[in-house]
């Protein structure tokens, strides 16, 4: 506290009140805009009206969210004597002077990067503490004072450990230097973030989107941004982070959403799904698409008025071969072919002394004889029908998989009973990805400016290709943890994954400091690493929370009751509770909770102060977090997977969902990898 400032907390509260009033005035100014006479037509009016609505939403003052969380007092340079309040959005007063600086602005960066060793001309960094939106405390660091010892911020620690109820929240107040470097990396490059549980990789990816939208708003407004998550529950959990930062235009989807051209009603055995997801399928599909091309055998005769123009077969063949050699999209080549043929006809017209123009060429391209050649040599290809034939016709598959897939692999792909049509086929999720690949071979997929892919370690090579097609001309942020790969096709290395994605030049960053999972819990879970992901660095948690781990052995006939009792015990604490169990154990545990009178939610349903317990199948736990976790029967989680490595990875995920405490209840022996 300063001698010249006897009541700094009151002054900071005054600034908060003034800032909220200024934000309210900014919003009212936008609401008062009259666009009646400023638009040329109704379309412009609708567009402008929608933009105003979005701006009003972006200026919303969330009462439970601090408007600013920090302050920087500079010593010298251009900011000499200046003071900046750092918050989630920019706020200015009536004359345009800043009252709160957006956390993404360059002047805000020292809030995250400055240290005692490198103060970056910051004399004082102040952190604020809030309770229910009210400013209640502050904490100062005099970075340029050599006499003041560096210490861990109590307010920073409290914010990290604040109980979690509801969806995921932003971390702008707690971004660490290594995270900030990734968040502020440029738009032109793709970044892959390898991070163990609790390292904040998901939050880093979302905040990078927010930063890029701030730094490159016009460009990304044109090209678009997308967040791809593993499932709907996960997307629901993270969906409020970007709106809380004022970003409302970012779309969210799963991989299944991206490739959802057909209704998925079937499932594949693991071995079949692995083959369908293999990158070799891309070449099988390419061969199958191009197999429709045939070389012309007969000359073309075009009749115009009293004149007849002949193009010999060898010249038509040259035109077709040229398009084949260019290896452009099948559909684009098919559109180009009649124009190329028409050009050959026009050359003959010019040689005969005529002077045809572009209109004549377009007319010739639409000539019945030309259309017939195109249909014969380069017929249309429907992606769904192509994949239908590959999966139902052994000879067609064998022809195009020769030298790529073994006979056994081909047998895995073939349907036992071929479907009669696209509509009656029981497509699987992997089939939809194949159709998406085939569609891209016919017609180029639209590319976005930036794509964030979370839980990326679980994608197959063909799924990586599907996501990569959405950012061929843009960049990407890839987030994941190789140790949490729980699909039979989970990637073995980021280099391999990035190659399939089409971004082999991406920079791989590793986050190893854990801010979420208590040290005792992550150390226990890390016992599994040597058995499932040897060579991968364990997370070093910065949080000490003695007593955060409890392992309880019980009997099989009292297991359900003891699990329910552990949930009731956890509910005595503040915050969210997750009961995680093998998928096969969900039904009996649901009955036990209901019988005990404990209400519970399903993943994706938002926790509230009144309803804080969520029953989570182990297969849906990835990416979620709870203040307290009760883990039912670890051995059942492992046994629920097709192989031990995948089972141990699934267990690793389940063990690392807790923020404050983990209670393990088991009747069967623990997996030997967890034994002391």
């Amino acid at each position: 506290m300063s001698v010249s400032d006897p009541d700094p907390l009151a002054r900071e509260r005054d600034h908060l009140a003034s800032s909220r009033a200024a934000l309210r005035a900014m919003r009212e100014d936008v609401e008062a805009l009259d666009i009646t006479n400023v638009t040329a037509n109704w379309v412009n009016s609708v567009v402008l009206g929608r933009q105003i609505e979005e701006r009003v939403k972006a200026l919303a003052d969330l009462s439970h969210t601090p408007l600013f969380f920090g302050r920087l007092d500079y010593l010298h340079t251009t900011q000499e004597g200046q003071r900046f309040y750092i918050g989630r959005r920019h706020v200015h007063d009536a004359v345009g002077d800043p009252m709160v600086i957006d956390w993404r602005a360059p002047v805000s960066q020292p809030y995250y990067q400055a240290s005692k060793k490198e103060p970056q001309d910051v004399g004082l960094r102040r952190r604020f503490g809030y309770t229910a939106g009210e400013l209640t405390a502050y904490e100062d660091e005099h970075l340029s004072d050599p006499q003041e010892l560096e210490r861990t911020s109590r307010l920073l620690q409290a914010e990290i450990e604040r109980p979690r109820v509801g969806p995921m929240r932003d971390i702008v107040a707690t971004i660490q230097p290594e995270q900030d470097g990734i968040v502020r990396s440029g738009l032109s490059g793709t970044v892959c973030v390898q991070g163990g549980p609790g390292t904040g990789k998901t939050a880093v990816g979302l905040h990078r989107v927010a930063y890029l939208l701030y730094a490159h708003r016009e460009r990304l407004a044109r090209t678009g941004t997308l967040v791809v998550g593993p499932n709907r529950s996960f997307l629901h959990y993270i969906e409020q982070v970007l709106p809380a930062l004022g970003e409302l235009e970012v779309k969210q989807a799963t991989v299944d959403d991206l490739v959802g051209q057909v209704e998925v009603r079937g499932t594949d055995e693991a071995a079949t799904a692995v083959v369908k997801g293999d990158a070799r399928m891309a070449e099988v599909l390419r061969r199958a698409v191009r197999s429709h091309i045939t070389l012309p055998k007969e000359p073309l005769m075009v009749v115009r008025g009293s004149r007849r123009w002949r193009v010999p077969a060898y010249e038509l063949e040259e035109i077709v071969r040229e398009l084949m050699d260019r290896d452009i999209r099948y559909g684009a080549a098919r559109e180009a072919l009649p124009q190329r043929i028409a050009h050959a006809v026009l050359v003959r017209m010019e040689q005969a002394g005529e002077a045809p123009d572009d209109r004549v060429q377009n007319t010739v391209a639409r000539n019945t004889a030309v259309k017939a050649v195109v249909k014969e040599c380069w017929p249309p290809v429907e992606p769904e029908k192509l994949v239908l034939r590959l999966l139902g016709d052994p000879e067609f598959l064998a022809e195009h998989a020769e030298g790529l897939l073994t006979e056994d692999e081909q047998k895995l792909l073939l349907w036992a009973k071929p479907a009669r049509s696209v509509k009656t086929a029981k497509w699987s999720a992997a089939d939809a990805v194949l159709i998406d690949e085939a569609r891209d071979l016919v017609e180029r997929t639209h590319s976005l400016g930036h794509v964030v892919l979370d839980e990326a370690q679980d994608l197959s090579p063909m799924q990586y290709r599907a996501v990569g097609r959405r950012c061929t001309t843009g960049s990407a942020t890839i987030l994941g943890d190789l140790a949490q790969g729980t699909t039979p096709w989970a990637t073995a290395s980021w280099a391999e994954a990035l190659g399939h994605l089409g971004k082999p030049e991406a920079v791989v960053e590793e986050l190893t400091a854990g801010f979420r999972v208590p040290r005792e819990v992550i150390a226990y879970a890390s016992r599994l690493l040597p058995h499932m992901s040897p060579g991968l660095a364990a997370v070093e948690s910065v949080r000490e929370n003695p007593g955060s781990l409890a392992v309880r052995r019980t009997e099989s006939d009292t297991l359900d009751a003891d699990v329910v009792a552990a949930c009731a015990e956890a509910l005595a604490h503040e915050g969210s509770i997750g009961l995680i169990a093998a998928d096969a154990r969900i039904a009996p545990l649901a009955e036990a909770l209901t019988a005990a009178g404990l209400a519970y939610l399903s993943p994706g349903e938002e926790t509230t102060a009144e309803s804080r317990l969520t029953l989570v199948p182990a297969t849906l736990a990835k990416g979620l977090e709870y203040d307290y976790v009760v883990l039912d029967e670890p051995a059942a989680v492992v046994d629920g997977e097709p192989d031990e490595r995948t089972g141990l990875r699934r267990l690793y995920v389940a063990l690392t969902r807790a923020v404050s405490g983990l209670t393990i209840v088991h009747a069967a022996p623990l997996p030997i990898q967890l034994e002391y």
Side-chain angles (χ1 to χ4, degrees):
M1 294 186 185
S2 170
V3 175
S4 61
D5 192 358
D7 194 355
L9 192 57
R11 291 182 181 276
E12 300 295 18
R13 286 171 175 163
D14 288 343
H15 187 76
L16 176 61
S18 299
S19 299
R20 288 197 183 282
L23 178 61
R24 185 166 57 252
M26 290 170 62
R27 189 170 62 254
E28 290 171 351
D29 286 345
V30 177
E31 290 172 334
L33 289 174
D34 183 1
I35 61 172
T36 306
N37 299 314
V38 298
T39 55
N41 53 55
W42 71 270
V43 175
N44 290 342
S45 179
V46 170
V47 172
L48 185 56
R50 187 176 296 120
Q51 290 174 343
I52 290 175
E53 288 177 8
E54 295 300 321
R55 179 60 177 161
V56 170
K57 291 179 184 178
L59 291 172
D61 186 3
L62 307 177
S63 59
H64 61 281
T65 303
L67 197 55
F68 57 79
F69 48 81
R71 194 183 97 186
L72 289 177
D73 292 6
Y74 281 94
L75 292 174
H76 309 99
T77 67
T78 57
Q79 291 86 25
E80 182 173 356
Q82 289 196 24
R83 174 178 297 172
F84 296 99
Y85 287 84
I86 313 302
R88 287 165 174 76
R89 68 197 67 209
H90 175 84
V91 179
H92 60 254
D93 61 17
V95 296
D97 291 334
M99 300 190 72
V100 179
I101 301 293
D102 194 302
W103 65 277
R104 297 167 288 187
V107 75
S108 300
Q109 189 168 6
Y111 183 79
Y112 303 106
Q113 295 285 352
S115 64
K116 282 290 206 178
K117 291 182 179 179
E118 294 185 34
Q120 299 188 28
D121 202 45
V122 174
L124 179 142
R125 174 167 55 199
R126 176 169 288 180
R127 300 182 190 275
F128 296 105
Y130 287 82
T131 302
E134 294 298 320
L135 200 162
T136 56
Y138 72 91
E139 201 174 61
D140 287 347
E141 297 174 83
H142 297 87
L143 298 180
S144 299
D145 182 359
Q147 303 302 316
E148 184 178 281
L149 298 177
E150 193 164 11
R151 63 185 185 278
T152 301
S153 167
R154 291 182 297 102
L155 292 180
L156 179 64
Q157 194 74 12
E159 173 63 21
I160 291 173
E161 298 178 4
R162 183 157 57 94
R164 285 151 170 76
V165 174
M168 182 181 183
R169 56 179 182 257
D170 66 71
I171 61 164
V172 286
T174 62
I175 293 173
Q176 299 300 296
E178 63 271 26
Q179 296 172 327
D180 186 66
I182 297 171
V183 166
R184 296 177 192 268
S185 54
L187 176 61
S188 59
T190 290
V191 178
C192 175
V193 183
Q194 158 65 38
T199 55
K201 56 185 177 296
T202 295
V204 165
L206 294 175
H207 286 67
R208 186 178 183 220
V209 171
Y211 172 77
L212 292 175
L213 286 167
Y214 174 88
H216 307 278
R217 189 166 301 280
E218 289 189 9
R219 177 175 172 183
L220 289 177
R222 294 193 307 270
T223 56
T225 53
L226 173 69
V227 174
V228 181
N231 52 58
R232 281 279 145 205
S233 297
F234 177 84
L235 292 178
H236 182 74
Y237 178 61
I238 68 169
E239 68 183 358
Q240 293 304 316
V241 174
L242 290 169
L245 298 173
E247 301 300 344
L248 306 169
E249 295 300 316
V250 180
K251 292 181 172 59
Q252 297 183 349
T254 64
V255 174
D256 290 344
D257 293 333
L258 296 183
V259 301
Q261 301 294 326
V262 293
E263 182 183 359
V264 174
R265 297 186 294 133
T267 56
D268 290 317
E269 294 293 334
T272 299
V274 168
V275 177
K276 287 182 178 179
D278 194 289
R280 292 172 294 167
M281 289 301 299
E283 177 60 20
V284 174
L285 288 164
R286 193 191 73 85
R287 291 179 182 179
V289 168
R290 292 176 69 83
S291 70
H292 291 76
I293 305 170
T294 58
L295 297 175
K297 302 297 183 183
E298 302 292 333
L300 167 69
M301 190 69 68
V302 175
V303 178
R304 279 183 56 81
S306 61
R307 302 295 299 270
R308 295 159 61 89
W309 307 99
R310 182 178 183 276
V311 181
Y314 76 85
E315 189 170 340
L316 294 174
E317 180 178 334
E318 288 176 357
I319 293 172
V320 171
R321 286 190 182 279
E322 181 198 355
L323 287 173
M324 291 174 64
D325 292 342
R326 288 184 61 190
D327 202 27
I328 59 178
R329 294 296 192 281
Y330 185 92
R334 188 173 188 275
E335 290 179 2
L337 181 56
Q339 291 290 336
R340 297 295 179 86
I341 295 173
H343 177 73
V345 174
L346 259 67
V347 168
R348 284 160 173 74
M349 291 180 178
E350 291 169 348
Q351 290 172 344
E354 296 190 15
D357 56 18
D358 290 345
R359 289 174 299 177
V360 175
Q361 179 166 327
N362 290 333
T363 301
V364 173
R366 294 192 298 269
N367 182 274
T368 303
V370 174
K371 286 182 177 181
V373 172
V374 173
K375 185 177 180 180
E376 178 69 25
C377 298
W378 214 292
V381 171
E382 296 182 34
E384 294 88 349
K385 289 184 178 180
L386 179 80
V387 176
L388 186 77
R389 187 179 176 189
L390 272 175
L391 301 180
D393 184 339
E395 293 182 1
F396 188 67
L397 175 62
E399 178 185 354
H400 302 301
E402 184 180 359
L404 293 171
L405 304 178
T406 66
E407 290 187 9
D408 288 341
E409 288 173 325
Q410 293 176 38
K411 288 178 182 177
L412 287 172
L413 291 179
L414 290 167
W415 284 328
K417 184 179 179 181
R420 292 184 177 181
S421 69
V422 169
K423 290 186 177 180
T424 61
K426 290 187 176 180
W427 299 109
S428 69
D431 296 336
V433 178
L434 296 179
I435 291 171
D436 190 71
E437 178 83 27
R439 187 175 299 280
D440 184 70
L441 289 166
V442 175
E443 183 177 350
R444 185 182 297 276
T445 303
H446 174 67
S447 176
L448 299 166
H450 193 77
V451 172
V452 175
L453 174 62
D454 206 351
E455 301 296 348
Q457 72 282 343
D458 277 334
L459 269 61
S460 70
M462 292 299 286
Q463 287 175 317
Y464 280 120
R465 290 175 62 87
V467 175
R469 284 192 284 278
R470 272 75 187 179
C471 55
T472 50
T473 59
S475 56
T477 301
I478 313 302
L479 312 166
D481 179 11
L482 296 177
Q484 296 185 60
T486 51
T487 57
W489 48 82
T491 190
S493 72
W494 289 123
E496 178 183 320
L498 292 167
H500 295 312
L501 196 74
K503 305 290 184 183
E505 76 291 346
V507 175
V508 179
E509 302 279 0
E510 188 169 8
L511 297 175
T512 57
F515 303 99
R516 176 173 56 78
V517 185
R519 186 175 299 174
E520 193 175 358
V521 173
I522 196 65
Y524 185 74
S526 294
R527 297 179 185 184
L528 301 176
L529 286 177
H531 306 281
M532 62 185 197
S533 298
L536 202 62
V539 172
E540 293 292 333
S541 177
V542 300
R543 296 182 54 208
E544 290 189 28
N545 194 3
S548 57
L549 174 66
V551 182
R552 301 175 183 174
R553 178 71 184 265
T554 187
E555 301 300 324
S556 57
D557 56 349
T558 63
L559 176 60
D560 292 357
D562 290 337
V563 168
V564 171
C567 291
E569 185 180 317
L571 285 166
H573 297 285
E574 186 182 3
S576 58
I577 314 298
L579 169 54
I580 302 177
D583 291 30
R585 289 276 297 149
I586 293 298
L589 288 175
E591 292 182 10
L593 289 172
T594 301
L598 290 183
Y600 63 89
L601 304 168
S602 298
E605 295 182 304
E606 189 171 318
T607 55
T608 65
E610 295 74 30
S611 189
R612 299 184 289 121
L613 174 62
T614 303
L615 179 57
V616 187
T619 53
L620 295 181
K622 192 172 298 179
L624 305 179
E625 60 182 26
Y626 302 92
D627 288 290
Y628 292 87
V629 168
V630 176
L631 176 58
D632 168 84
E633 204 64 278
V637 174
V638 177
D639 293 342
E641 299 299 328
D643 58 82
E644 184 181 64
R645 189 189 75 161
T646 304
L648 292 176
R649 289 182 169 185
R650 185 76 70 189
L651 178 58
Y652 181 74
V653 170
L655 288 168
T656 54
R657 300 304 95 199
V659 175
S660 296
L662 169 66
T663 299
I664 300 171
V665 183
H666 68 104
L670 290 171
I672 192 170
Q673 294 86 353
L674 287 179
E675 295 289 355
Y676 287 95

